[in-house]
Amino acid sequence: MADRMTEVRRALLAAPAEGLVERLAEALSRAYGLTGVELYLVDYRLAALLPVTGGRERTAPGDPAWRCFDHQVPVHEDGVSYLPVTMRGERSGVLGLVPAATDEATTETYAEIGTLLAHELAAVRASTDRYAQAARNRRLTLAAEMQWELLPGRSRIGPSFGLAGQLEPAYAVRGDTFDWSDDGHRLWLAVTNGMGEGVAAASLTALATNALRNARRAGLPLAEQAALADQAIFSHHQGAQYVATLLLELDLVTGVVTAVDAGSPRLVLVRGDEVTDQDLVEQFPLGMFDGTLYQPQRFQLRPDDRLFVLSDGVYDAAASAGRYGGTALDRFLRRSAGMAPLQAVRALVADLRAFVGSDLVDDAVVVSLDWVGPDGRRSGQ
């Protein structure tokens, strides 16, 4: 078994960037006698699993591939094994293998192959467009292309936290984005809403994101990160354009959150059955005035708390029934407690689309952040 896995690893490592799936299929045919291999990549809307080599796309609720993706467990159905293709919490999609595994040892081996493939996809992403093209079923606008390339990922799992985010409308987003990073002790999260339309909004957001990254990587405290980004944007636009931003820094040991609210999106705390807005003092958006000084605030999380960051495109979305940010949003947040962060984000966006009755028109960003406690175990487990 070990020798066969070594052959699979070597095949993936030696594969050309654009040929990972084909080389994997050849190796799995030789090593395990598999007759079918397909990689399904999750699309930008989190609404379809799209085949890389020509199978059928998966969109139906309850599809075995979607059950695998949402619950991150192997699913065996109709002679096919579906395995998560996930690396450090970043969910790329699902690997389908034929024939299906019939025992636990084989299932574990197949699951390991899915993880290996996820690592290789991450390694080759910058050198080929094949997988970025395969993960879309329509053309992105130029602004949306810029925004998606700016992201650190769409989900991330650490020993003591879970994190996920989504941009909408996925194929035409303009000025909303998010960014994150962690060092094992602290987690930084920025959610921004750049003013304007199209490429102008995307360019403004890119400036803000890179200014914040530059300040963060210089080791500056959170309030100084905001001040440096504020100066960068003001120097370029002289107050004519600015960026509403929420900056969070989570101490992964203590659960203390430091926040700077620069005209930011809404921050909601889900604690058990309770859903409450986290009150922060709203300060000037980044770039509105010259030399703004920002004041940090702090609040305490408890193990298993969840924070949602929601832009106005979420809570102000309107339908004949009213605004989504009222009863509909509150009802969803209450029932999201058992979902993993990306599953919760995907379900919230789907619930929002159903409420509106169409794809969103205005920009919207959703980020879900769980702190599970310093020992990395959820309470009661």
Side-chain angles (χ1 to χ4, degrees):
M1 184 72 74
D3 289 342
R4 290 190 289 175
M5 276 300 298
T6 297
E7 180 181 350
V8 172
R9 289 192 187 94
R10 287 174 176 170
L12 279 173
L13 288 171
E18 75 286 353
L20 290 177
V21 181
E22 288 79 5
R23 291 295 178 87
L24 177 62
E26 293 170 4
L28 290 177
S29 176
R30 291 192 303 269
Y32 296 98
L34 296 185
T35 58
V37 176
E38 182 59 275
L39 170 63
Y40 299 91
L41 295 174
V42 66
D43 90 310
Y44 287 77
R45 292 177 74 241
L46 290 173
L49 288 166
L50 303 176
V52 171
T53 64
R56 65 178 180 87
E57 69 177 60
R58 308 300 186 97
T59 58
D63 184 285
W66 271 115
R67 297 204 309 271
C68 171
F69 183 86
D70 278 336
H71 301 290
Q72 291 293 284
V73 295
V75 173
H76 312 289
E77 191 167 307
D78 297 329
V80 183
S81 286
Y82 298 94
L83 298 312
V85 179
T86 300
M87 181 199 70
R88 303 183 188 277
E90 177 65 20
R91 303 185 188 187
S92 299
V94 171
L95 179 65
L97 301 179
V98 179
T102 57
D103 58 74
E104 185 175 345
T106 304
T107 298
E108 290 178 357
T109 298
Y110 286 3
E112 184 178 351
I113 291 167
T115 301
L116 289 172
L117 179 57
H119 280 266
E120 287 304 309
L121 285 169
V124 304
R125 182 179 181 276
S127 60
T128 178
D129 287 336
R130 186 185 186 191
Y131 309 106
Q133 289 175 309
R136 60 187 73 180
N137 53 17
R138 69 186 77 167
R139 182 178 176 181
L140 273 70
T141 64
L142 175 55
E145 191 84 53
M146 293 169 65
Q147 292 291 64
W148 283 104
E149 287 300 306
L150 192 63
L151 293 182
R154 190 151 48 185
S155 55
R156 172 88 170 88
I157 300 295
S160 59
F161 70 91
L163 185 60
Q166 174 66 4
L167 305 179
E168 289 290 327
Y171 288 85
V173 67
R174 299 172 291 275
D176 285 9
T177 195
F178 56 83
D179 190 34
W180 59 55
S181 180
D182 75 277
D183 65 1
H185 305 287
R186 293 169 296 173
L187 169 70
W188 293 271
L189 171 64
V191 181
T192 60
N193 181 359
M195 65 181 297
E197 297 292 332
V199 171
S203 298
L204 177 61
T205 300
L207 174 60
T209 298
N210 282 293
L212 287 167
R213 286 175 178 171
N214 179 255
R216 185 184 73 222
R217 292 166 181 170
L220 299 180
L222 202 66
E224 293 183 32
Q225 293 177 30
L228 187 147
D230 172 71
Q231 272 305 112
I233 297 166
F234 184 86
S235 295
H236 195 72
H237 294 287
Q238 298 297 303
Q241 289 187 294
Y242 44 85
V243 182
T245 304
L246 176 65
L247 300 178
L248 300 178
E249 180 184 305
L250 169 61
D251 187 308
L252 295 172
V253 176
T254 67
V256 172
V257 178
T258 304
V260 172
D261 180 347
S264 74
R266 182 175 170 188
L267 182 62
V268 180
L269 172 65
V270 181
R271 176 173 289 163
D273 294 330
E274 297 180 4
V275 177
T276 56
D277 284 317
Q278 187 66 46
D279 291 330
L280 298 172
V281 176
E282 188 173 331
Q283 302 173 70
F284 293 126
L286 303 181
M288 180 174 278
F289 298 109
D290 188 17
T292 302
L293 297 178
Y294 292 91
Q295 299 300 319
Q297 295 175 257
R298 291 177 176 82
F299 60 91
Q300 177 71 56
L301 294 182
R302 300 176 188 171
D304 296 343
D305 276 354
R306 169 171 286 172
L307 292 172
F308 276 101
V309 187
L310 308 167
S311 71
D312 56 4
V314 176
Y315 53 80
D316 282 342
S320 59
R323 289 193 315 125
Y324 184 73
T327 303
L329 176 59
D330 188 72
R331 183 172 58 244
F332 173 84
L333 295 179
R334 291 180 188 280
R335 70 172 187 262
S336 71
M339 303 177 186
L342 187 60
Q343 186 182 4
V345 166
R346 188 170 93 83
L348 189 155
V349 171
D351 192 61
L352 176 58
R353 292 192 196 113
F355 179 87
V356 174
S358 66
D359 278 349
L360 301 187
V361 176
D362 293 333
D363 275 7
V365 60
V366 179
V367 176
S368 176
L369 168 61
D370 291 356
W371 183 61
V372 302
D375 58 359
R377 294 177 297 177
R378 294 186 181 276
S379 61
Q381 295 185 4

